[in-house]
Amino acid sequence: MLRRFGFPGLELMADFHIVIGNRRYSSWSLRGWLAVRVSGVTFDETVVPLDRPETSDEIAEQAGRGPRLVPLLHHDGRTIWDSLAILEYMAEQVPAAGLWPGDAGSRAVARSVVAEMHSGFRALRMELPMNLGVDRSGQGYSDEAAADIARIQEVWSNCLSDSGGDYLFGDWSGADIAFAPVVTRFKTYGVSLEPRLQRYVEAVLTHPAMGEWYGGAAAEPWVSPRYE
Ligand SMILES: N[C@@H](CCC(=O)N[C@@H](CS)C(=O)NCC(=O)O)C(=O)O
């Protein structure tokens, strides 16, 4: 499925092309897609539904020298794989999008929490997979997942104490992008939060780009028994 996002008059920039998994389940795709979407460029999008016999081969056709994983970004003859590489690429391509905080100290902390998210919280990711179409509040989880959730709350609290805005570093940034699929999980699994963190969750969920993603997920025809 191929779609085009963007604004009339920017067609000349439409050489960005992101390949994502289906929106209902693909948490890494959400991160890569948000980085492209909030940067404001016009882009094309291909959705490769996950968990079908042909999924891996279809991704491989798009992946160039990358692994058989989404998201992938094609731009200017390059293929960029991995959501964090895509975030960094968009931050370089569109500095005005402010994907990283302007202040060097805040930027260093933002990159630290994004790196922590990117390489950690395995129990949370494995036990509480992203699924935008269900309500699993009340479902239990292991001590390891509980420890991940507690650490994420600590990270958010620390960031919000210094933020001065609705998001982790004031304005919307790559840090909010990295944690967006955690925000959806906290909603899906009914994780109870102190009021300030709950306000942060609401701020992320009501971001226009998140609304677009949820709307797209609701319109998708694919439901995979493995993820339900
Ligand atoms: N670290 C990678 C992880 C990418 C990843 O694991 N993507 C999953 C979907 S969320 C995938 O492509 N799985 C392949 C498949 O299900 O066939 C990133 O940040 O982009």
Side-chain angles (χ1 to χ4, degrees), residues 20-22 25-32 48-52 55-57 59 67-72 81-86 118 125 226-227:
I20 57 175
N22 43 321
Y25 309 122
S26 188
S27 56
W28 297 109
S29 295
L30 170 56
R31 295 180 174 99
V48 179
L50 300 179
D51 200 29
R52 297 164 306 133
T55 296
S56 186
D57 286 346
I59 296 173
R68 294 178 175 221
L69 296 172
V70 286
L72 299 157
W81 63 91
D82 195 284
S83 58
L84 182 49
I86 292 170
H118 203 68
R125 289 194 275 108
R226 188 157 71 100
Y227 296 118

Side-chain angles (χ1 to χ4, degrees), residues 3-7 18 20 22-24 30 33-41 43 45 47 132 172 184 204-220:
R3 295 167 73 193
R4 174 160 291 181
F5 289 80
F7 307 99
I18 191 161
I20 57 175
N22 43 321
R23 286 172 160 79
R24 187 176 175 99
L30 170 56
W33 184 89
L34 283 171
V36 177
R37 185 70 182 105
V38 304
S39 71
V41 298
F43 65 101
E45 170 196 286
V47 177
L132 302 188
W172 179 269
T184 75
V204 171
L205 290 174
T206 54
H207 189 283
M210 289 295 285
E212 276 183 34
W213 183 272
Y214 266 93
E220 285 175 351

Side-chain angles (χ1 to χ4, degrees), residues 7 32 164 196-198 209-210:
F7 307 99
R196 186 171 58 158
L197 300 187
Q198 189 57 39
M210 289 295 285

